[in-house]
Amino acid sequence: MSSLDAGFYFIEDENVPMHVGSVLVFDGPVPSYGDVIRLFLARMDQVPRYRQKVRTLPFHVGRPVWVDDDHFNVLYHVRHTAVPSPGGEDQLRNLAGRIFAQKLDDSKPLWEAWLVEGLEGGRWAIISKVHHCMIDGVSGSDMLQLMLDFRRESTLPEPREWQPAPPPSTIDLVVDGVRDAVATPVQHLAALPALARNLRSLNEIVDFGKSVLSSLPGTARRLVTRAATSLNGPIGPHRRWVWARANLAEIKQIRRAAGGTVNDVILAAVTRGFRDLLEKRGELTDGMVVRTMVPVSMRKANQHNELNNRVSAVLVNLPVGEADPVQRLASIRAQMDDLKSSRQAAGADVITNLGNFAAPTLMALGSRTAMRFPQQILQTVTTNVPGPRIPLYMLGRPLVEMFPYVPIASTIRITVGIFSYLDRITFGINADFDGVPDVQLLADGIRTGFDELVALAAEAAEAEVVDTRTGAAATPVAARSAPAKTGATATAAAESGAAKSGAAKSGAAKPARKPRAAKPTPSSPEPR
């Protein structure tokens, strides 16, 4: 097990189950439980980890190891349940929230799947749980291939006979663990000269160092900007899990008017959600930010079949204290551009991999201590997993939607997971049950964030048509003047680089069109 995977394993306890998950909703007819079992057995040879369990060593003299479960039974892991028919989205979310709150059995392979019947419209669902030490966000798409096909019609191979490998003895594991604790750091040190030889030139090293050093002032400003620390606090064993929706068409409309990437627009909508949450709590102030960790995949194209975590992260300040939606988007865009140019994600990956130099016992203690230590730097985690743009099927039934679950830990009470599938973006918001009873405000606010930006983009498109007819120069949304800022708000705007992008021009801001009400939950996908 890698150092990062071991860290995810070590920090788990009854209040902090460290699994990721998803809810996949399908159109009917509902398959039989036996067919689902046969599907898993037919595909399980592709991922041997699904038949392996974790074995730890005495005193953690070595990192945990994966061993075959000699009592593996697929019926224990694939389960069958139902909601009272006709079950709506609230019933499905509540069921999933209870299932996600339960810790996986660490004496077994660390995964579960639940077949859920009784949904309205003849639909059904799969609730999936996989421990974080087995899988990361991007390779998670590979795991879904256990269940999903790209064609409606598919032929399942006959399950092959499987025999578990003989378990290693404790003595052998201890000897290997001690050897690993001593040899692994030496191997990593020995690899440094080869790594240096693979670098293109000294100029490349110098450029990398300059880019990182030049980003330090901006990083320092981001870390000292006043954050909404009221979002931090202890967490309990129960969860509230809600979701929201958007689609790529409206994101593209916003990008045409205001610029930025898909991720920039998504983070701007998430910012509006946290702004509404804090405003309803009476805790919102000018210049306030919500600091989020954004995981970044470091997995290369030739590493998609490797069953371990290859993730790094960057820190982004969500400008919740900014009233103007265009300025919020400009601030996020400037930060993300700065983070990309400074290569901070690569730097974070290097720090993460330093865990390979730690003795396993110290790593176990360090992981637990780090996650228990009260901290106010981060308020949330926002992770975006891109999915396929083509339809997927399970046992011939089309996948309609899928919603992500990202665990909470330490004093971070809220996480936001994001999936894209076909032309739809779905948000799964996970929160501590007692600490965030108002989490639905966040989900509704995310939807409102998209609505207000779409409305502004539509206004800009209408104005452009009028300006074209009159011969006047059109003004893009990104250059729209914003309200005058004072104090901390002005500092935050200057930091974001909004002036650089032309977003802080003088003049009174044109009031935004009143946001549309959140769209009602559809019983079927919106027209594409």
Side-chain angles (χ1 to χ4, degrees):
M1 190 179 287
S2 73
S3 59
L4 182 58
D5 293 341
F8 285 128
Y9 182 77
F10 283 137
I11 64 176
E12 184 172 69
D13 65 20
E14 294 302 323
N15 284 354
V16 186
M18 286 301 297
H19 52 259
V20 293
S22 60
V23 172
L24 289 74
V25 180
F26 298 85
D27 271 333
V30 182
S32 70
Y33 177 62
D35 284 344
V36 175
I37 292 293
R38 283 185 283 274
L39 173 64
F40 270 90
L41 288 176
R43 303 289 172 83
M44 200 161 291
D45 288 336
Q46 300 176 33
V47 187
R49 189 75 81 232
Y50 268 34
R51 288 190 175 108
Q52 294 178 324
K53 61 183 181 180
V54 177
R55 184 169 172 183
T56 57
L57 279 66
F59 308 108
H60 298 298
V61 296
R63 282 179 289 191
V65 296
W66 296 100
V67 298
D68 286 350
D69 181 8
D70 53 359
H71 297 293
F72 176 78
N73 187 336
V74 69
L75 300 178
Y76 179 85
H77 297 274
V78 181
R79 306 178 183 185
H80 193 188
T81 189
V83 294
S85 181
E89 293 194 341
D90 285 343
Q91 286 73 34
L92 179 58
R93 281 194 296 260
N94 290 338
L95 172 64
R98 290 194 296 271
I99 290 175
F100 287 143
Q102 298 168 7
K103 182 174 174 288
L104 288 163
D105 184 352
D106 58 10
S107 68
K108 304 285 186 181
L110 295 173
W111 66 277
E112 290 176 2
W114 295 69
L115 170 63
V116 183
E117 295 189 44
L119 301 182
E120 60 185 352
R123 290 184 170 178
W124 54 280
I126 292 288
I127 300 175
S128 172
K129 295 167 56 177
V130 183
H131 199 283
H132 213 316
C133 68
M134 287 178 61
I135 193 171
D136 68 53
V138 173
S139 65
S141 298
D142 297 333
M143 290 292 186
L144 291 179
Q145 291 178 12
L146 287 170
M147 299 179 289
L148 302 175
D149 295 300
F150 294 109
R151 299 188 302 274
R152 183 183 291 271
E153 302 298 331
S154 63
T155 302
L156 294 180
E158 287 295 324
R160 292 188 296 178
E161 187 69 22
W162 177 79
Q163 292 294 331
S169 68
T170 301
I171 295 297
D172 289 340
L173 289 177
V174 169
V175 171
D176 288 343
V178 172
R179 184 187 301 116
D180 177 69
V182 174
T184 299
V186 175
Q187 291 170 354
H188 281 275
L189 289 172
L192 292 179
L195 176 64
R197 287 196 299 271
N198 289 331
L199 293 174
R200 294 180 182 176
S201 65
L202 179 62
N203 290 334
E204 186 176 81
I205 302 175
V206 173
D207 290 342
F208 179 84
K210 286 181 178 179
S211 64
V212 172
L213 289 174
S214 65
S215 71
L216 291 180
T219 301
R221 283 195 299 270
R222 277 193 287 273
L223 291 176
V224 300
T225 304
R226 185 171 69 259
T229 54
S230 62
L231 295 176
N232 296 102
I235 61 177
H238 307 298
R239 301 291 177 263
R240 296 181 190 269
W241 186 68
V242 298
W243 63 49
R245 295 180 175 91
N247 61 70
L248 284 175
E250 59 189 356
I251 292 178
K252 290 178 180 178
Q253 182 181 359
I254 296 167
R255 290 180 61 198
R256 283 195 297 270
T261 66
V262 170
N263 280 337
D264 296 341
V265 175
I266 288 174
L267 287 176
V270 172
T271 303
R272 173 59 191 261
F274 277 106
R275 176 180 171 84
D276 286 1
L277 178 66
L278 292 165
E279 188 172 34
K280 292 294 176 61
R281 291 181 175 184
E283 300 171 356
L284 185 67
T285 60
D286 288 343
M288 177 178 284
V289 301
V290 169
R291 193 167 294 114
T292 183
M293 182 178 75
V294 181
V296 179
S297 174
M298 304 301 291
R299 188 178 298 276
K300 299 177 182 177
N302 62 350
Q303 294 173 331
H304 281 282
N305 292 326
E306 297 183 15
L307 299 181
N308 56 12
N309 282 273
R310 291 185 179 272
V311 291
S312 184
V314 295
L315 302 183
V316 180
N317 284 349
L318 303 180
V320 294
E322 171 58 64
D324 185 87
V326 175
Q327 291 290 339
R328 292 198 293 265
L329 177 57
S331 171
I332 290 169
R333 182 181 178 184
Q335 290 182 71
M336 296 303 291
D337 288 345
D338 176 60
L339 290 167
K340 292 172 188 174
S341 64
S342 66
R343 309 179 192 177
Q344 288 189 36
D349 185 59
V350 171
I351 294 172
T352 299
N353 285 335
L354 289 179
N356 291 319
F357 289 84
T361 302
L362 297 179
M363 183 173 59
L365 295 174
S367 299
R368 292 181 182 275
T369 303
M371 296 305 292
R372 303 295 183 274
F373 189 77
Q375 59 86 24
Q376 304 294 324
I377 295 177
L378 292 176
Q379 286 72 58
T380 188
V381 174
T382 310
T383 178
N384 185 4
V385 180
R389 299 292 305 278
I390 60 176
L392 296 175
Y393 303 88
M394 178 177 172
L395 294 170
R397 285 78 165 177
L399 172 64
V400 179
E401 290 181 304
M402 51 184 178
F403 299 91
Y405 172 90
V406 179
I408 59 176
S410 183
T411 59
I412 299 174
R413 288 175 159 177
I414 303 173
T415 59
V416 181
I418 306 158
F419 268 167
S420 63
Y421 170 59
L422 297 176
D423 61 352
R424 174 165 291 187
I425 309 292
T426 51
F427 297 77
I429 301 110
N430 182 28
D432 178 66
F433 190 91
D434 296 319
V436 194
D438 49 358
V439 66
Q440 187 62 47
L441 292 172
L442 173 57
D444 294 341
I446 290 174
R447 183 58 254 175
T448 301
F450 285 109
D451 288 338
E452 67 180 351
L453 288 171
V454 167
L456 291 170
E459 287 183 359
E462 293 172 4
E464 186 174 357
V465 171
V466 172
D467 290 341
T468 301
R469 290 173 179 171
T470 61
T475 303
V477 169
R480 186 173 62 86
S481 55
K485 297 175 176 61
T486 59
T489 306
T491 302
E495 174 200 331
S496 70
K500 180 171 58 179
S501 63
K505 291 184 179 179
S506 60
K510 183 177 180 180
R513 179 182 295 175
K514 184 178 179 181
R516 302 192 298 274
K519 298 180 181 178
T521 301
S523 59
S524 59
E526 298 173 359
R528 300 294 186 252

